[in-house]
Amino acid sequence: MNIDIEARIKALRDDLHAHNFRYYVENKPSISDYEFDMLLKELEALEAAHPEFLDPNSPTKRVGGDLTERFAKVKHRYPMLSLSNTYSIEEVREWEGRVKKGTNRPITYACELKYDGVAIGISYHQGKLERAVTRGDGETGEDITANVKTVRAVPLQLLGKDFPEDFEIRGEVFLPLAAFAQLNAQRLEDGDEPYMNPRNTASGTLKLQDSAIVASRKLDCFLYGLYGEQLPANEHYANMQAAGTWGFKVPSAAQKQIMLCTTIEEIESFIDYWAEARFNLPFEIDGVVIKVNDYEAQRALGFTAKSPRWATSYKFKAQQVSTVLERVTYQVGRTGAITPVANLKPVLLAGTIVKRASLHNADQIEKLSLREGDTVYVEKGGEIIPKVMGIDLALRPVNSSPLEYPTQCPECNTLLLRTEGESMHYCPNTSGCPPQIKGRLEHFISRKAMNIDGLGAETVAQLYNEGLVGNVADIYDLRKEQLLPLERMAEKSVTNLLEGVESSKAIPFNRVLYALGIRHVGETIARKLAAYFGNIDALSNAQIDELSGVEDIGEAIAVSVRDYFADAQNMAVIQRLKQHGLQFEQAATSASISGTLSGKTFVVSGVFQTYERDDLKSEIEAHGGKIASSVSGKTDYLVAGENMGPSKRKKAEDLGVKIIDESGFKALIQAL
């Protein structure tokens, strides 16, 4: 019997370690929070009943997951423990009973929302932001100050004068639902797979090396815990109200985001209210948090090895409904990516009628073993559309047959391709597949690309169906006499369209590059490529290693860019666009100071005293230098700040790259 128990304990530990890695390091969770917590609870119970099998490295003895190596590690002044979780009112009642037994005074509870984001601790000294650190393993976190400074809800300088000289405030960085939807829409535009959910996207964003990209993601932050020696009050609720006056975004009492309760019935009422009201929020929560309000009572109750005894969280189960999967259809994007979509019998879910749900890719369909006619469980989280989570096999029709993923494009019948290491299938018929052609045309004319007034998606479809445009260069061949006979094309609308086409010739190179619709090349990447190479000829002749040397250009992007310019049809279209006068060279900007760093390539790493890292990069570019993300044989200078990773310094030393600090850089631009 003991052999079976020991084997089960080992299996649980192995599974939980693996899930921890996927969640905290890879940001790719493979099970839900609820499933994880159930496994952890099972392991805790077995370890409690069989102490002979205890292991100091068990997942039950830790708070979080492993740390990555890219950011400086910082030891927390106050341990950053996670909360214990409950999933039923009965468990909340049991917790409240333990609290009462542990103290000899009347207890008041502060109830708050449990934001579904990334826990963060931010230190302030004399009213100025000093450092922002992730939870990490609860004892040591990672310094991500530069990225947190881009979050507009986080004040860099506090308001008023009544705050402590030194303190830490903790909270949650998250991605609002609207920003998440916008980001995923852009990824679909660029031919990338959409992100899975807002929480993991926020986590990944905070670990990016480029703060400019972090800023563009529009992260938000609520702060909900004050730590220090000279706090204004001896109660959590009062301190949160005070923090609100200092400029922090704290839970709003007026909006019922925080509430003082004295009875279990009031706590239950708060839970019941937000179980429904959460669907009206512009961000995701996954439960509520209940804290003992008085700090003296908190100290009396103390901590377990992993969590405070004076607080707990009640976690909502993700709302699911069951409905019938009527059929699966396959959409073709402008980059040829094939996206399977579940067409459902309409059902009410989280306040909206759901008719379609995401199936992501062939692997997801195979994993779920889906069949048309199945009764499926649908969940709505942060997705652009809801997703299918499982099947009720008991209700499967007896005559159903397994779904077979198409081998040919549903639009043009071309054999589909799937690149090794990728989860998506693609139609390679870029020049003859109608949805791809129309999608590229729509992308080309869009506001963030060429912004052609008078030309919208309906008109693009009309022009394509009439045989007037088959690629983006054809837009510049359009003539008035071709357009006037078309339906809904009056004299004024035709004039506006042609004037819009002509005006677009002044659009700068980086936006033209983005407009071409190269797979994986969004606005930010297009801007970096344009700045680095300067013109389309240099870019089109660049090899994989040179492309990979540009900041934030990984191998997948480099290969995609190289493949695009290796295609003769694409180059023919670019040649025609050149002849029409589009901008294929980076214009000199007014910000240019000199050419003293011309021909020199720099890598910037670490934290600097008088420069923000992005400002230092801009200074280099203003003097004619180029920025690369990684050290290579083509790097001329490594500008090293504090907390720079040792591996980058070692590589520079091995390659003989000159390493200069901030003052060395200033001397360099003055000397050249």
Side-chain angles (χ1 to χ4, degrees), residues 170-196:
R170 291 177 178 172
E172 205 92 357
V173 175
F174 60 91
L175 190 60
L177 293 173
F180 178 70
Q182 183 181 28
L183 178 61
N184 264 350
Q186 187 62 61
R187 286 185 66 79
L188 290 170
E189 272 274 303
D190 296 336
D192 295 324
E193 283 196 69
Y195 290 125
M196 290 293 288

Side-chain angles (χ1 to χ4, degrees), residues 610-623:
T610 58
Y611 288 103
E612 292 292 333
R613 187 154 49 177
D614 286 345
D615 293 339
L616 180 53
K617 292 177 182 179
S618 297
E619 183 87 350
I620 291 168
E621 291 174 336
H623 285 282

